[in-house]
Amino acid sequence: MSQSAEHSSVSLASAETASGSADDDRAEIVDLRFIVRRLVRWWWILLILAALGGVKGCRDMHNFTPQHTALMVVAPQQSASIGSGSVAAGGGAGLARVVGGLGMQQSTLTTRFDRLVHVASTVSFARTLDQKYGLMKQIYGASLDESSGEWIRPGGREFEIRERINSYLNLPTWTEPTIEDLSKFLGSRLKVKGIPNTPFKRIAVTDEDPERALMLLKLIYKEASEFLRQQSLAELDEQRGYLEERLRSTTVLELRTALVGLLADQARREMMLQGNLPFVARITDPPHISKYKTTPDVLVSVGFPILAMTFIGIGIIVLVAVFRSE
């Protein structure tokens, strides 16, 4: 009798548990439907928020400042590898050992044009341009006090508030322009894009002033090419000194033959670098100002705010629906 009662109570408890679980599942389904119904019911809130996002995006597009673009098209020169030609064929294994001693590979991994694009944003190149052309004053001259020679710190309530917020959050605050800022400026303005299905490259510089955009394009390309030429001459001079030292200390005929061939190759390359031939690329379309100015990205300016405001509206409606259901 006792065992039967216990069995009945266990069965009842199991039934209640199963019934409670089913009720919970139904509650979850009802809650989800409840939220969906609230989203459908309050669709006008999503519409208003999306419209606000669209208005903000249109205002940003209206406030966008179009910039002029200076363009040129070049055909990059192919960089020859150090182990090419008859010298490599005649040197054999000895030449490979010598090249290994120079710390160079027989195939060039980076082209001269790739190096030019990289050099344009380096601090050393920016310092060279500033020393030769006073580029810091040309770019940041509006913020320079001519009488005292000091940089003028921006003012205004909005600027001070933003500075306090950035300082509190450990974000960058205003500092005087330096050569590093100039290098970042040059790197951000220079854009390189390949022309599809061709070996040509389109180089562009954008700026609010068309004359300055054209000046920067010509200056960056010319001086970066010369900067690389001087770097290559210095590298060749260092390599030639190494080869001459190895030639004086080597008695193996095979290695001496390879070294003499490499020295001849070094002399030929130095001679070519000292001429007026194109070093980095051949200009196929001279620098000019495009009639088309830069335009805002509609997807980013308008589409993103609409999407963001819509998701914010969904989040608000879901939170309100959940709190009300409880």
Side-chain angles (χ1 to χ4, degrees):
M1 182 71 178
S2 175
Q3 292 181 351
S4 175
E6 290 178 357
H7 179 71
S8 299
S9 62
V10 170
S11 299
L12 181 59
S14 300
E16 291 177 351
T17 302
S19 176
S21 177
D23 291 340
D24 291 341
D25 292 339
R26 285 196 298 270
E28 291 179 1
I29 296 175
V30 170
D31 287 342
L32 182 59
R33 292 175 179 177
F34 175 75
I35 291 174
V36 172
R37 285 199 300 269
R38 286 296 179 269
L39 290 175
V40 174
R41 182 178 178 182
W42 294 339
W43 62 269
W44 53 273
I45 296 179
L46 300 180
L47 182 61
I48 292 175
L49 292 176
L52 291 176
V55 170
K56 180 185 181 303
C58 292
R59 187 186 63 182
D60 292 341
M61 291 185 64
H62 176 73
N63 295 332
F64 177 82
T65 303
Q67 294 189 337
H68 295 271
T69 303
L71 295 172
M72 67 184 296
V73 179
V74 299
Q77 299 287 97
Q78 294 296 329
S79 301
S81 64
I82 189 172
S84 60
S86 60
V87 177
L95 177 59
R97 288 194 295 271
V98 173
V99 173
L102 285 171
M104 296 178 295
Q105 298 179 351
Q106 291 194 6
S107 60
T108 304
L109 300 178
T110 306
T111 65
R112 293 169 181 168
F113 187 79
D114 293 333
R115 293 177 60 192
L116 180 142
V117 176
H118 169 70
V119 160
S121 60
T122 59
V123 173
S124 56
F125 178 66
R127 183 177 292 109
T128 300
L129 289 186
D130 184 52
Q131 292 173 352
K132 295 178 67 173
Y133 302 99
L135 206 58
M136 282 288 296
K137 187 175 181 180
Q138 294 187 44
I139 302 300
Y140 303 105
S143 302
L144 181 64
D145 188 349
E146 296 287 349
S147 59
S148 63
E150 297 180 353
W151 298 103
I152 303 173
R153 187 178 186 274
R157 182 178 180 182
E158 182 180 351
F159 172 79
E160 295 298 338
I161 293 176
R162 186 169 60 250
E163 286 291 288
R164 291 192 185 97
I165 294 174
N166 290 344
S167 176
Y168 179 78
L169 298 177
N170 291 321
L171 295 175
T173 55
W174 182 87
T175 57
E176 296 181 354
T178 62
I179 294 295
E180 185 177 1
D181 295 313
L182 180 60
S183 67
K184 292 180 179 180
F185 171 84
L186 296 176
S188 64
R189 293 304 173 95
L190 185 68
K191 304 296 181 183
V192 179
K193 188 176 182 180
I195 299 178
N197 302 322
T198 70
F200 302 109
K201 302 287 186 180
R202 181 179 286 109
I203 308 176
V205 171
T206 58
D207 196 87
E208 297 179 8
D209 184 358
E211 295 183 0
R212 191 168 77 166
L214 188 61
M215 180 272 293
L216 286 174
L217 176 61
K218 294 179 179 179
L219 190 65
I220 291 174
Y221 181 78
K222 174 188 173 184
E223 292 299 328
S225 299
E226 184 60 26
F227 190 86
L228 286 180
R229 188 189 298 270
Q230 296 303 321
Q231 277 190 346
S232 297
L233 284 172
E235 291 172 2
L236 288 175
D237 184 67
E238 182 180 356
Q239 294 167 12
R240 179 166 48 80
Y242 171 80
L243 292 173
E244 290 175 348
E245 177 65 26
R246 288 293 300 268
L247 183 61
R248 286 192 293 267
S249 61
T250 300
T251 57
V252 179
L253 180 60
E254 182 188 13
L255 287 179
R256 290 185 63 87
T257 303
L259 287 167
V260 170
L262 279 175
L263 282 170
D265 185 62
Q266 294 289 100
R268 177 184 61 80
R269 294 171 65 188
E270 289 182 10
M271 181 178 63
M272 296 299 293
L273 285 178
Q274 292 171 353
N276 293 324
L277 296 175
F279 174 65
V280 176
R282 178 171 55 86
I283 298 176
T284 60
D285 191 10
H288 62 279
I289 295 294
S290 173
K291 73 173 184 178
Y292 299 104
K293 298 181 182 180
T294 57
T295 57
D297 190 329
V298 179
L299 183 61
V300 174
S301 300
V302 179
F304 180 76
I306 291 177
L307 190 63
M309 293 299 288
T310 301
F311 276 109
I312 291 175
I314 292 175
I316 294 174
I317 293 174
V318 169
L319 288 176
V320 171
V322 169
F323 282 122
R324 283 192 173 184
S325 64
E326 293 179 354

